[in-house]
Amino acid sequence: MLTVAMPKGRIFEEAVELLRRAGYRLPPELDESRKLIIDVPEEKMRFILAKPMDVSTYVEHGVADVGIAGKDVMLEEERDVYEILDLKISPCHLAVAGLPDGKMNRIAPRVATKYPNIASSYFREKGEQVEIIHLNGSIELAPLVGLADRIVDIVSTGRTLKENGLVELEKIVEVTSRLIVNPVSYRMKAAPIHEFVERLSVIIGEE
Ligand SMILES: Nc1ncnc2c1ncn2[C@@H]1O[C@H](COP(=O)(O)OP(=O)(O)OP(=O)(O)O)[C@@H](O)[C@H]1O
Ligand SMILES: O=P(O)(O)OC[C@H]1O[C@H](OP(=O)(O)OP(=O)(O)O)[C@H](O)[C@@H]1O
């Protein structure tokens, strides 16, 4: 039995579609129900549905053998897991953004973000002193109301920035979803994990 930690939310649909294209027969229950644990005995799989930011926690602790997590989460959390495949789904990027004429007059400009670790190391490497303000969402609000001078956030279509009169200033890193594996499971369940990776690799290679 392989336990797969799946991210609820925007990655979920694409991830399930990828698995189905790889030939896994997954029941409609997976897409439709509110259950958080779904067993698929005919595929010898169990799916656990977690918040995207938490998937790597389940995999690191070994309660899931494998999981699907955004590269943004992997960079922010630095978990003890193997990242073994770029699934190339849910593409977006992390960027610094702000008001077009936003001045940075403070000694340590304020940067609002859901990604405090990524943001601090980015500015540290640039040699810029900033004050990080950790928010949980609606990051674009912060510069509009004067809470922050800049934001570090995900950009996909760019619509949220545009509709809030903000501009992208610097691209930090491209983001796609990754297949991650618990190091112990990687050894103990080598055969099913290799088969899983192989079947997904074939599908990704086709694109
Ligand atoms: N436009 C986007 N905004 C945010 N995340 C995106 C976007 N496009 C792809 N992603 C990927 O999706 C993941 C986040 O998914 P989602 O927004 O469903 O979860 P969340 O951040 O927990 O959302 P919420 O807290 O709003 O429920 C990110 O880790 C990232 O890899
Ligand atoms: O470039 P876009 O296509 O507009 O996508 C980017 C936006 O989507 C995400 O927010 P989300 O919808 O998850 O809401 P949140 O701010 O509450 O996290 C992200 O934090 C940006 O705000």
Side-chain angles (χ1 to χ4, degrees):
M1 174 82 85
L2 206 60
T3 301
V4 185
M6 296 286 278
K8 294 201 293 182
R10 26 162 73 89
I11 302 175
F12 186 78
E13 219 173 287
E14 277 188 79
V16 170
E17 194 203 324
L18 190 68
L19 293 179
R20 289 202 172 112
R21 281 199 288 123
Y24 290 101
R25 290 154 300 148
L26 305 179
E29 189 188 16
L30 192 61
D31 321 64
E32 291 161 9
S33 96
R34 294 278 306 161
K35 281 170 75 174
L36 299 173
I37 301 178
I38 294 172
D39 285 330
V40 186
E42 51 280 26
E43 296 288 5
K44 296 197 178 67
M45 288 169 118
R46 160 172 287 180
F47 291 90
I48 63 174
L49 276 52
K51 286 290 282 181
M53 275 279 186
D54 296 335
V55 163
S56 55
T57 307
Y58 288 89
V59 175
E60 181 179 50
H61 288 272
V63 292
D65 301 303
V66 300
I68 294 176
K71 182 68 184 172
D72 51 326
V73 174
M74 302 311 297
L75 292 169
E76 180 63 21
E77 301 282 332
E78 289 189 3
R79 297 281 174 183
D80 184 15
V81 297
Y82 297 152
E83 183 189 313
I84 52 173
L85 196 57
D86 182 351
L87 298 171
K88 298 182 186 161
I89 57 172
S90 300
C92 51
H93 63 275
L94 274 163
V96 181
L99 287 162
D101 54 354
K103 297 180 190 68
M104 304 248 279
N105 292 333
R106 279 183 262 262
I107 295 167
R110 291 191 193 141
V111 177
T113 186
K114 204 171 170 177
Y115 301 92
N117 294 329
I118 294 173
S120 346
S121 45
Y122 178 75
F123 286 103
R124 194 177 329 111
E125 276 163 30
K126 283 182 31 133
E128 289 179 29
Q129 194 190 342
V130 297
E131 179 190 344
I132 302 292
I133 298 186
H134 188 188
L135 295 177
N136 291 300
S138 299
I139 314 298
E140 290 82 358
L141 183 60
L144 304 181
V145 296
L147 177 64
D149 306 284
R150 295 278 185 269
I151 61 168
V152 165
D153 198 20
I154 295 273
V155 179
S156 175
T157 61
R159 191 175 155 202
T160 310
L161 289 181
K162 194 159 180 251
E163 291 195 8
N164 288 290
L166 301 173
V167 289
E168 182 172 329
L169 302 166
E170 295 153 54
K171 181 179 276 192
I172 301 180
V173 66
E174 295 289 347
V175 169
T176 47
S177 298
R178 308 301 162 105
L179 182 68
I180 59 172
V181 181
N182 172 272
V184 176
S185 300
Y186 192 73
R187 278 185 278 117
M188 304 298 286
K189 297 189 180 179
I193 289 177
H194 286 165
E195 191 201 321
F196 190 61
V197 173
E198 202 46 46
R199 284 170 71 167
L200 289 174
S201 304
V202 168
I203 292 303
I204 295 158
E206 280 174 1
E207 287 173 340

